[in-house]
Amino acid sequence: MDKLIVHGGNTLSGAINISGAKNASLPILAASLLTEDDVIIRRVPDVSDTNYMIQILSALGAHVERSSGTVRISAQTITHEAPYELVRKMRASICVMGPLLARLGQAMVSLPGGCVIGDRPVDLHLKGLRAIGADIDLEGGNMNMTTPNGLVGTEVDMRGKQGPTVLGTDNLMMAAVLAKGTTVIESAAAEPEVVDLANFLISMGAKIQGAGTRTITIEGVERLHGTEHTIIPDRIEAGTFMVAGAMAAGPEGITINRICKEHLEPVTEKLIESGHSVEFNEEGSSVKVAPASTPKGARIVTAPHPGFPTDMQAQFSALYATTPGLSVIEDTIFPQRFMHCAEMSRMGANMKVDNGTAVIDGTDKLSAAPVMASDLRASAALVLAALNAEGSTEINRLYHIDRGYEHIDEKLLALGAKVERVKER
Ligand code: EPZ
């Protein structure tokens, strides 16, 4: 397993380009199963999660060609069984359910396991697909789905205890595009990645209105045709590097290119509230971030989009761990998503986690220590903390970061960070 050695204390400068969004590319790759025509998808990030999804599509019978960030998929003849050994590696594999049901009228997908950020139920996915006519049996750890009377549109409220579901909304939307009649999704997720999926489906001939709001209306059509699509920028990768700028850049800041300003509003707001400098260019496609002279702590409560994203709370806990004063971070979506706090405490951070809330008493410097990556965003938070720490921090189990950050070491080196990836046998 690779590890990353981060020699802290270097001032960051320079510019990087942000990759395509992992969380948009996964459902969009799955949606390519909805047509037997070729689809071409650009700016697919080279991360292990997209590699797994591509392997699943191939295992289902699709023909997949990839050259750097462009993927061409031809799903002329496909089967309905997603391979367990691949599905168990990545929860997002469940978003092949909707397309398989719509295209073949059946699907067999293993139940995804939980993960360190909390148990990951799929009850809302099943509620939505059953509402439009899927029969679903759970046996032997698999979800066996059939559609004895085909898929028929209806109205369904997809809200769960913690609010909307991103992939649950995606699955239902992808099944509904070929259903008979109209499907109305109430309490839909409004994340930019859901909007990108809707735009991809519309470019294939789907009839969808309201993506990006809490009510999405889908009028079923007979078939979908091929298309070409470019994935939106990854707002979480961009937010992660904006925090790096606030924590470790010099007064001239760092520049982060190929971003989308309106996807970054909650992160921008919090950085400015803490005193950091955040300046976008005219088109909102690039941002310069520089540290505050006297940074202040703040309070964050995560919420479904357009609220503060849960995928950014770990990164902000690294920022607040090195911001003198008190900060509070509450994750209402994944209350257990604080694995990074224990690791950061090993670096001298003062954090108390209780009942889904971290109370952070910031110090101005952390100290290096060997730490363990646990999930994707927690690992990114450890890298951020290490940039700022005295000494060299060793981050083990780097595969967690490689799941969602394309060539993170190259990007950090381009910004002047002193990092080295050590390949372990
Ligand atoms: C997506 O996961 C993202 N993953 C996650 O990003 C992100 O944290 C999450 O949305 C929330 O924004 C991808 O897009 C691939 P949810 P998803 O269904 O769709 C509960 C990352 O770091 N829930 O929106 O699986 C669930 O437990 C990853 O890139 C149910 O109760 O998350 C959670 O509390 C991590 N029943 C809340 O809803 C269900 O059937 C939101 O989860 C489904 C979800």
Side-chain angles (χ1 to χ4, degrees), residues 220-305:
V221 295
E222 281 297 307
R223 69 179 293 278
L224 296 181
H225 52 69
T227 187
E228 301 198 17
H229 181 82
T230 301
I231 301 284
I232 55 170
D234 193 316
R235 63 190 168 104
I236 307 300
E237 183 191 26
T240 303
F241 279 101
M242 288 170 75
V243 171
M247 288 180 74
E252 74 295 338
I254 60 171
T255 301
I256 302 161
N257 296 314
R258 295 177 61 176
I259 55 143
C260 186
K261 180 183 177 186
E262 62 268 12
H263 295 167
L264 294 165
E265 276 163 16
V267 168
T268 301
E269 209 176 285
K270 281 297 166 186
L271 288 176
I272 291 173
E273 182 186 332
S274 290
H276 303 291
S277 149
V278 181
E279 287 163 18
F280 290 90
N281 68 347
E282 191 74 18
E283 313 78 64
S285 60
S286 172
V287 64
K288 183 149 76 164
V289 180
S293 42
T294 47
K296 295 195 308 295
R299 175 181 167 78
I300 284 177
V301 181
T302 67
H305 194 78

Side-chain angles (χ1 to χ4, degrees), residues 23 91 120 122-124 165-167 311 333 337 377:
N23 290 350
R91 168 189 169 73
R120 307 292 296 274
V122 293
D123 56 308
L124 295 171
T165 162
V166 171
L167 291 183
D311 291 351
I333 296 177
R337 194 177 196 172
R377 307 304 173 185

